[in-house]
Amino acid sequence: MKTANLAIVFTDIKGFTERTSRQTLEENQRLLHVHGALLQPLFKAFGGRIVKSIGDAFLVTFESPTQAVLSGVAIQDRLWHHNRGAPESEQIQVRVAINVGEVRLEGNDVFGEPVNIAARVEGLAEAGEVYFTEAVYLAMNKAEVPSREVGSFELKGIPGRIRVFHVPRAPYRVEAPQPGAVAEAPGAESIPPYGNLGLSRVPESALGMSSGDLAQIGQMAAALGQRAAAGAVVLGQQASVLGRQARTAGGSLLTRLEQSLPPGGRLAGALRSLAPHGRALWIVGALAVFAGVGMVAFGGGAAMRAISSVEKAPKTERDPLVKEARKLISEVEDQGRRLYLQGRLDEAMENTRRAIDDYSRAVRAGNGDAEDRIIDLLSHSSCGVRVAAVDAVRSLKLMSALGELEDLADDGGSDDGSGGFLGMGKCDSKSHAQNVLKSFKD
């Protein structure tokens, strides 16, 4: 068994689940793309390794606890710069939690109590804050980053009390704002929360897109969406063509997008500079999706509508709707997304256990929505479905399901003790969750 002493960083977006219930699929995709574009360069700039990204959450490891904390404050300051130029509905508030300890390395994943503790501390953290454990406090270079104790906490499933610290807000050292930051209105707060303490150490070239460019792309995407909603059929057809070309003609695609921008504009120049870094594809893809054209790179909008129709239709009228949904699903190029959609169709047809198999394959193909759906099914009304979801969590080693798994292990379900599969034995999702939870912590 291979182990290593690493700093574990968890981040997630405040209120993401609630936001997704109010937003369209395209709006959720846009939020996650902007979120990733802002955070991922900072993880890498401070030496972090992104272990996994699940929906709005990142799990990242660092060899240096100090660098891990610096990455956290850099993230919060960069989001502050970004949010100043974004409408309230598009602002991103993130929590950051850090722990350090010896973890097991299995493939590209990490396991062990240090990971569990970091996940629990994340639940304590407030949006815009960087929380870390006493283990981090003792190991990091305190001359590099100021710290202040928050308190001692009992964390679910963790023996003893854990002392938790955070990085206090500026001013304690204020650097010059990052290049490309959006100008602030008179009278508004002009000091980023952590004084660019970490952000000032990252070269602008390592940040990818500036906050200003991201804000302008957001405005363009919103404008395209309005035009599409108003019936801009030609725009939709052109965007669809661009989506198909994106996989094989990135340079040509970038030129087309530049031609649609005002000549000489800063964003046009920024897009040209992105071509060598391979970022043109996701920009164009995002704009196409936001225009409502179901671009091939993401796909699934029409398929989800068809799946919804299957779910709402009487069973006697489902056959042609199912056929249409399957056709649309087969046209989605991304394998993980295609498997996720197949799972949603199986659920609509009330074959939830088969859906869990689809979701498991989708997770292995890198689809975060499928992972979220498996976790949701841990609280399903049917014991058999809950047990199948627990099995999927165990097989996939979904540490992101730890909280929901513990809830099931504590409370079980109202139909626990009912007849098992094909009448064999009794179904007990509570004890099943307890056994899997124990295997996670061993």
Side-chain angles (χ1 to χ4, degrees):
M1 180 177 64
K2 187 176 181 181
T3 63
N5 196 59
L6 297 173
I8 308 296
V9 176
F10 273 103
T11 73
D12 72 350
I13 299 174
K14 175 187 176 183
F16 179 73
T17 301
E18 191 272 335
R19 286 176 74 168
T20 57
S21 67
R22 293 185 284 107
Q23 297 181 157
T24 65
L25 175 64
E26 289 80 10
E27 289 171 332
N28 292 335
Q29 289 282 7
R30 173 186 174 185
L31 172 68
L32 291 177
H33 275 290
V34 173
H35 171 249
L38 289 168
L39 269 62
Q40 291 184 43
L42 292 174
F43 291 135
K44 295 175 182 177
F46 287 94
R49 181 179 76 87
I50 299 173
V51 176
K52 63 175 70 174
S53 172
I54 308 163
D56 67 316
F58 280 106
L59 168 57
V60 187
T61 60
F62 291 78
E63 293 185 358
S64 164
T66 306
Q67 294 296 97
V69 177
L70 284 171
S71 77
V73 296
I75 283 167
Q76 299 296 13
D77 280 349
R78 191 174 196 201
L79 289 174
W80 180 86
H81 287 296
H82 167 74
N83 289 341
R84 290 192 300 166
E88 185 176 355
S89 62
E90 298 176 12
Q91 293 179 7
I92 302 174
Q93 306 288 343
V94 163
R95 304 181 297 178
V96 179
I98 309 167
N99 186 36
V100 67
E102 187 175 47
V103 296
R104 301 195 314 274
L105 306 179
E106 296 182 15
N108 292 322
D109 216 337
V110 293
F111 302 94
E113 189 170 73
V115 179
N116 300 339
I117 292 175
R120 291 301 183 201
V121 172
E122 184 188 38
L124 299 174
E126 301 291 339
E129 295 281 358
V130 179
Y131 275 34
F132 51 93
T133 63
E134 182 179 18
V136 176
Y137 172 77
L138 293 174
M140 74 184 203
N141 184 341
K142 300 171 189 60
E144 293 282 335
V145 191
S147 58
R148 183 176 299 158
E149 185 169 358
V150 177
S152 296
F153 299 88
E154 290 184 357
L155 304 179
K156 189 173 181 179
I158 306 299
R161 298 180 68 86
I162 302 295
R163 291 177 68 195
V164 176
F165 295 75
H166 77 132
V167 181
R169 301 298 182 98
Y172 39 74
R173 168 182 166 190
V174 178
E175 304 285 350
Q178 283 289 300
V182 180
E184 186 67 29
E189 178 60 62
S190 59
I191 299 176
Y194 300 100
N196 290 322
L197 176 64
L199 199 56
S200 63
R201 305 179 186 213
V202 182
E204 185 183 8
S205 59
L207 291 175
M209 302 183 67
S210 74
S211 295
D213 289 337
L214 282 167
Q216 290 187 52
I217 286 176
Q219 294 166 2
M220 290 176 60
L224 284 173
Q226 291 170 0
R227 290 172 64 187
V233 177
V234 173
L235 175 63
Q237 293 171 341
Q238 291 176 343
S240 182
V241 171
L242 289 178
R244 290 194 298 270
Q245 291 177 340
R247 294 183 180 274
T248 56
S252 172
L253 196 57
L254 183 59
T255 301
R256 288 170 183 255
L257 181 56
E258 290 172 354
Q259 290 172 350
S260 70
L261 300 173
R266 185 163 65 89
L267 184 55
L271 291 175
R272 282 194 299 272
S273 70
L274 291 173
H277 304 289
R279 298 187 181 272
L281 175 60
W282 82 259
I283 295 171
V284 177
L287 292 175
V289 171
F290 307 149
V293 298
M295 193 185 85
V296 174
F298 300 123
M304 278 302 299
R305 289 191 291 273
I307 291 167
S308 179
S309 298
V310 171
E311 192 171 25
K312 295 174 183 177
K315 290 184 178 180
T316 56
E317 300 175 10
R318 283 182 177 177
D319 286 351
L321 298 175
V322 170
K323 183 177 180 180
E324 175 63 17
R326 284 176 173 160
K327 176 179 179 295
L328 292 169
I329 291 171
S330 70
E331 294 172 355
V332 175
E333 291 190 4
D334 181 80
Q335 182 187 18
R337 181 69 180 165
R338 188 169 62 250
L339 288 166
Y340 167 73
L341 291 169
Q342 182 58 54
R344 293 302 298 263
L345 179 59
D346 284 335
E347 276 202 79
M349 296 168 64
E350 302 176 19
N351 195 337
T352 311
R353 296 191 190 188
R354 187 168 67 186
I356 291 174
D357 290 337
D358 294 327
Y359 295 144
S360 297
R361 289 187 292 150
V363 170
R364 292 188 177 95
N367 185 272
D369 291 334
E371 183 161 344
D372 291 341
R373 190 62 191 147
I374 290 173
I375 295 171
D376 289 342
L377 292 173
L378 290 171
S379 57
H380 195 273
S381 59
S382 167
C383 180
V385 172
R386 294 194 301 274
V387 167
V390 170
D391 286 338
V393 167
R394 178 191 58 193
S395 174
L396 296 166
K397 299 179 180 177
L398 300 184
M399 296 305 297
S400 56
L402 187 62
E404 289 79 1
L405 197 61
E406 288 180 337
D407 290 341
L408 182 57
D410 287 342
D411 304 328
S414 60
D415 62 341
D416 274 3
S418 60
F421 184 55
L422 297 179
M424 299 170 59
K426 299 293 184 180
C427 183
D428 188 349
S429 63
K430 180 176 180 177
S431 63
H432 204 59
Q434 290 171 344
N435 291 335
V436 172
L437 192 62
K438 182 180 179 181
S439 72
F440 269 29
K441 293 183 176 180
D442 287 343

